[in-house]
Amino acid sequence: MYAVDDLRNILARIDGRGYKAYKDLQGAYAFPGFTLFIDHVQGDPFASPSKIRVRVPGTVARLPTNLFSSHVRRVALQDFLIREVHHAIRHVCRGNRGIGKSGLVEIDAGSQEVLERTAMVVTPQWVEARLSLGLPAQGRTILGRQAEAMLCQELPEIAERAMKWRSVDQERARTFVDCVDNQESIRAQLDSLGLVAFIADGSILPRSSGASDRPLSRQSAQPFRAPDSLRVAIPLLHPVSQDGRLVHSLTGCGIPKGVTLIVGGGYHGKSTVLRALERGVYPHVPEDGREYVVTTERAVKIRAEDGRHVERVDISGFIKNLPYGQDTATFSTDNASGSTSQAASILEAVEVGATALLLDEDTSATNFMVRDARMQALVHKEHEPITPFVDRVRELYERHGVSTVLVMGGCGDYFDVADTVIAMQDYQPLDVTEDAKRIAQDFRTQRAIETTSPLAEVASRIPVWESLDPSRGNRDAKIDAKSVDAIAFGHEVIDVSGVEQLVDVSQSRAVGYALHLAPRRSMKGGLQAVVQGLVELFDDAGLDGLDPYHQGERHPGNFARPRAFEIAAAFNRLRTLRIRE
């Protein structure tokens, strides 16, 4: 352990030298009130930023222990502190101090969702922020004085502003943690209440724009209000303020298990509700508007994905008797159609434990969803390989326990198979189940049910581990995510643009490293067991171990926790994946 004066002396000594002399900084330095760890120094000003950690002793941070007394509360507090550090960086740091990444200071902060991240760790002994930092240079010449200002002036101020209880907004911190705790408490109650989701009265579902995930202003938005027939009250762990008073339970719309249709005219809010539900698998920050839109953690959004890779999936329950005798019991393709991709995605989700499917007709393959009576009359079943979803959706629930929430604005044939029908009108939900059932009786469909055999139990497939190779050139693992939608994995780029519940680039990065970790951990069994093993590993040891080069105490990189379903989705979209016969 070095003293802060040692750091200043090193910076003075290497000032004006070549950039690689910055390597002399690696080590730990004792500052008044915190320790600075310089774990990795970038090779040049344009390389990936340097990795540092700022650790404040618990006796100095003095965070109340009840704010991190459970895993949920710890994750929430860590997320709050990440946002505080991010805010402090914007107010303290000068920014550009030379070429390339010179002067950059970053922490991996999220958007509206609250996710477990490696960017902050809270323990009873210490609080640690993990940062990326661009050491300043002009050309390839070290700017030592600017580096000293960053390390010896700005970092202490960031630690003071954002990592000590006396400095943060204490009421806002408590509200943040309690809000996340409430959301996860509601999620834990859904199953016993017979629900797959809950939307609290007063929720603001629309977003401010197509390019922003922030809520539309309350002045412009229509607060959600449950229809009386679907309203439920769910108790909270912590009281919340509502209309100027503290309440100990929330009322709202319970989305029941079974088959639920969301119908209505265009631009009345159908897809907005579904998007809120698909994001509701994660807790949200207070005042997001959707913080009390809570969906079962086992809900998976399904869409058609033309051109995606499918590897040995039994889609015969939906598609069989293809021309030229192509096998659909072990269906493989590098260029799936809309219907085959959607069938595969449903079965892959069920394979790893999904209990609810979220679908929107706008992003579904039309021929996969339904064939009406006129089309059945023109194209006989013997010439149509697809068994449409309308003929399987009840069986999925009654025999396999998988509920469906479906946005459907153009086909009333689904009235025959729905348990609940919600109509969106001017962004307000109406329970029109009885009307839909009456219409189904009065205007009987002439279409024939096209199932010829039961939907088989979904077997778990076993990966060939050698097919997961992230190496490139002389590197054992070349893995990165430049965006939420694309994961670089060795020579491949996994297209996860159709995996709509990946919400953060650090989640996508974690998914890539999880694919690399699975075979190295010698995880055995089928894909479900593999992804469940990863989930248990994250539960027990956190996300730090995703870094293949992680040794002891070291900045682990910027990861946010993905769900098992998104890890499995990336497995399935990796074009080199092979499944054992």
Side-chain angles (χ1 to χ4, degrees):
M1 179 82 69
Y2 299 100
V4 64
D5 286 341
D6 296 323
L7 178 60
R8 290 193 177 97
N9 290 336
I10 295 171
L11 289 168
R13 172 170 56 81
I14 65 175
D15 185 28
R17 291 176 57 183
Y19 200 88
K20 290 191 180 299
Y22 266 137
K23 294 286 186 183
D24 293 352
L25 295 177
Q26 287 185 191
Y29 300 88
F31 280 69
F34 73 93
T35 303
L36 169 64
F37 299 89
I38 301 178
D39 294 322
H40 167 74
V41 174
Q42 64 206 92
D44 65 65
F46 295 94
S48 296
S50 302
K51 302 293 187 184
I52 68 170
R53 293 176 290 131
V54 175
R55 179 180 291 181
V56 178
T59 53
V60 175
R62 301 184 68 83
L63 299 174
T65 56
N66 67 343
L67 290 186
F68 56 99
S69 56
S70 68
H71 177 73
V72 169
R73 293 177 70 79
R74 185 188 303 273
V75 168
L77 178 60
Q78 289 171 173
D79 189 278
F80 174 82
L81 293 174
I82 289 170
R83 295 169 195 271
E84 291 292 289
V85 170
H86 178 69
H87 184 72
I89 288 170
R90 293 175 60 190
H91 282 78
V92 169
C93 297
R94 282 180 44 198
N96 184 270
R97 284 183 161 100
I99 66 168
K101 295 181 172 63
S102 295
L104 172 77
V105 182
E106 285 185 334
I107 191 166
D108 184 35
S111 181
Q112 301 302 98
E113 290 81 17
V114 176
L115 303 174
E116 181 178 350
R117 295 178 181 272
T118 55
M120 179 73 66
V121 179
V122 173
T123 75
Q125 291 75 37
W126 40 261
V127 181
E128 183 175 276
R130 282 92 174 262
L131 307 171
S132 300
L133 184 143
L135 291 168
Q138 194 61 51
R140 296 185 181 278
T141 300
I142 287 173
L143 299 176
R145 292 180 182 176
Q146 288 88 332
E148 181 180 353
M150 292 176 66
L151 295 169
C152 301
Q153 297 173 25
E154 293 175 356
L155 286 184
E157 188 170 351
I158 291 168
E160 178 62 38
R161 283 174 173 244
M163 300 178 67
K164 297 179 181 178
W165 184 244
R166 70 187 182 209
S167 302
V168 303
D169 185 331
Q170 298 177 7
E171 184 59 32
R172 195 162 61 87
R174 294 186 189 279
T175 298
F176 191 104
V177 173
D178 287 350
C179 179
V180 173
D181 209 11
N182 276 338
Q183 292 173 64
E184 294 298 357
S185 172
I186 292 172
R187 198 181 325 277
Q189 298 176 66
L190 290 176
D191 188 57
S192 63
L193 294 171
L195 304 177
V196 296
F198 171 79
I199 306 174
D201 289 336
S203 295
I204 302 297
L205 306 188
R207 300 295 90 185
S208 63
S209 74
S212 172
D213 202 32
R214 298 184 65 82
L216 191 65
S217 70
R218 288 191 174 269
Q219 291 73 26
S220 303
Q222 183 74 258
F224 189 94
R225 183 166 179 80
D228 291 341
S229 55
L230 294 174
R231 180 171 287 114
V232 296
I234 299 185
L236 300 172
L237 290 176
H238 313 281
V240 299
S241 178
Q242 194 174 71
D243 300 326
R245 60 192 179 91
L246 286 179
V247 298
H248 294 268
S249 65
L250 283 180
T251 61
C253 181
I255 307 295
K257 295 179 180 179
V259 179
T260 298
L261 296 187
I262 303 176
V263 303
Y267 305 99
H268 280 260
K270 304 186 301 296
S271 295
T272 299
V273 172
L274 195 75
R275 281 193 292 271
L277 293 176
E278 72 184 56
R279 293 294 184 99
V281 297
Y282 304 112
H284 284 67
V285 299
E287 300 182 10
D288 170 71
R290 301 172 302 183
E291 64 267 39
Y292 288 113
V293 178
V294 181
T295 307
T296 174
E297 62 186 3
R298 298 176 126 195
V300 178
K301 175 70 183 299
I302 302 293
R303 61 169 298 155
E305 297 174 69
D306 294 82
R308 66 153 284 199
H309 176 73
V310 177
E311 180 66 17
R312 296 184 67 84
V313 179
D314 181 1
I315 63 171
S316 60
F318 288 104
I319 301 171
K320 62 181 177 181
N321 299 326
L322 288 175
Y324 308 110
Q326 186 175 358
D327 181 24
T328 60
T330 54
F331 182 75
S332 299
T333 181
D334 270 332
N335 188 25
S337 66
S339 56
T340 55
S341 67
Q342 199 159 356
S345 293
I346 288 171
L347 295 161
E348 290 163 351
V350 173
E351 176 186 5
V352 291
T355 58
L357 306 176
L358 309 175
L359 291 88
D360 191 327
E361 66 172 336
D362 285 351
T363 55
S364 294
T366 302
N367 61 341
F368 178 76
M369 298 305 291
V370 70
R371 283 210 315 146
D372 65 20
R374 287 177 171 175
M375 190 59 70
Q376 287 180 331
L378 181 65
V379 180
H380 293 279
K381 177 58 181 172
E382 62 188 274
H383 301 299
E384 174 52 74
I386 301 174
T387 299
F389 188 67
V390 68
D391 292 332
R392 289 294 192 193
V393 67
R394 285 227 59 81
E395 184 183 7
L396 274 169
Y397 177 60
E398 292 171 355
R399 293 189 65 241
H400 300 271
V402 179
S403 297
T404 296
V405 180
L406 170 62
V407 167
M408 178 57 68
C411 180
D413 287 340
Y414 274 88
F415 293 173
D416 291 306
V417 295
D419 298 298
T420 307
V421 184
I422 299 171
M424 295 302 298
Q425 184 174 310
D426 296 325
Y427 277 89
Q428 288 303 305
L430 306 172
D431 183 357
V432 296
T433 304
E434 293 305 316
D435 291 338
K437 294 298 183 185
R438 176 181 53 77
I439 291 168
Q441 288 292 323
D442 292 347
F443 300 92
R444 289 188 176 274
T445 180
Q446 300 301 309
R447 70 177 302 277
I449 296 174
E450 298 191 327
T451 52
T452 57
S453 60
L455 187 65
E457 294 290 336
V458 181
S460 188
R461 297 162 299 143
I462 301 175
V464 176
W465 293 120
E466 292 75 17
S467 66
L468 277 70
D469 181 9
S471 64
R472 192 168 80 183
N474 58 2
R475 298 189 63 172
D476 291 338
K478 176 61 176 177
I479 305 170
D480 198 9
K482 298 299 185 184
S483 71
V484 176
D485 295 338
I487 302 169
F489 192 81
H491 291 281
E492 300 292 322
V493 176
I494 308 172
D495 180 0
V496 288
S497 57
V499 185
E500 297 182 330
Q501 287 164 297
L502 277 174
V503 298
D504 191 288
V505 65
S506 295
Q507 271 188 312
S508 298
R509 184 180 301 112
V511 166
Y513 279 93
L515 267 59
H516 180 41
L517 177 64
R520 294 191 308 115
R521 296 280 304 184
S522 300
M523 292 179 175
K524 305 294 185 182
L527 192 57
Q528 180 180 20
V530 169
V531 295
Q532 185 56 40
L534 288 167
V535 168
E536 292 170 0
L537 178 66
F538 299 158
D539 286 342
D540 294 341
L543 302 176
D544 284 9
L546 281 172
D547 178 4
Y549 308 108
H550 189 73
Q551 297 176 350
E553 289 194 1
R554 198 186 94 144
H555 193 302
N558 295 329
F559 298 118
R561 182 163 177 168
R563 300 188 307 159
F565 302 103
E566 283 67 59
I567 297 173
F571 265 110
N572 288 313
R573 285 157 181 79
L574 176 62
R575 292 186 180 274
T576 61
L577 175 70
R578 295 295 174 262
I579 297 294
R580 297 190 189 281
E581 295 185 11

